[in-house]
Amino acid sequence: MNKGLLSIGLILLGIAVYMGYNKYTFLENAITTKATVISYRTTSEKETKKNGNKRTTKNTTYYYPKFEFKDLQNRTTQVESNVGHGNSKPYSVGSQVEIVYSKENPQDAKINSFLNQWLFTTIVGGLSLLLLVIAFTFQRKN
């Protein structure tokens, strides 16, 4: 069992390091500027939770902000965030947000926040470390 956990932990750690390195190099070379939130795309999902014999269904609406900015060549670019926010709009339409984008590809723009930049990498890295700690703990007990 601990060899399986160790293997999965190491694979996830490798993925987290790879993702972190890619994000770091993107941010090192990215252009930082301000963008204006111009609209939202919304999606709705039904979530059913079971608690004993009782089931509850809840509708969750996700809001994906669409923003507009001028790149280094003074071209107007519109981008929709690939990160949705559940049940509330994080920004009002017309508000300014800090973004980062690739000089080579302004469509590769992201809102400059922890959620947009590092959340998934942090989750994968934390899960890998948890699995590695469990695997090493089982190893020490045996």
Side-chain angles (χ1 to χ4, degrees), residues 60-77:
T60 303
T61 301
Y62 293 95
Y63 297 90
Y64 296 83
K66 186 173 184 179
F67 50 90
E68 180 178 84
F69 65 98
K70 294 204 182 268
D71 65 13
L72 289 176
Q73 284 74 37
N74 208 29
R75 295 178 296 213
T76 300
T77 303

Side-chain angles (χ1 to χ4, degrees), residues 125-141:
L127 182 59
S128 71
L129 293 177
L130 177 65
L131 292 174
L132 290 172
V133 166
I134 292 170
F136 285 120
T137 301
F138 280 138
Q139 181 67 28
R140 290 187 88 197
K141 286 184 178 181

Side-chain angles (χ1 to χ4, degrees), residues 1-14 131-132 135:
M1 167 151 164
N2 64 339
K3 285 187 180 185
L5 286 177
L6 181 63
S7 298
I8 293 169
L10 288 172
I11 289 168
L12 287 176
L13 182 61
L131 292 174
L132 290 172

Side-chain angles (χ1 to χ4, degrees), residues 43-61:
T43 62
S44 292
E45 293 183 16
K46 282 188 177 186
E47 298 175 1
T48 303
K49 294 183 180 178
K50 187 176 179 183
N51 187 4
N53 291 333
K54 186 178 177 184
R55 288 180 183 235
T56 57
T57 301
K58 175 182 160 186
N59 283 331
T60 303
T61 301

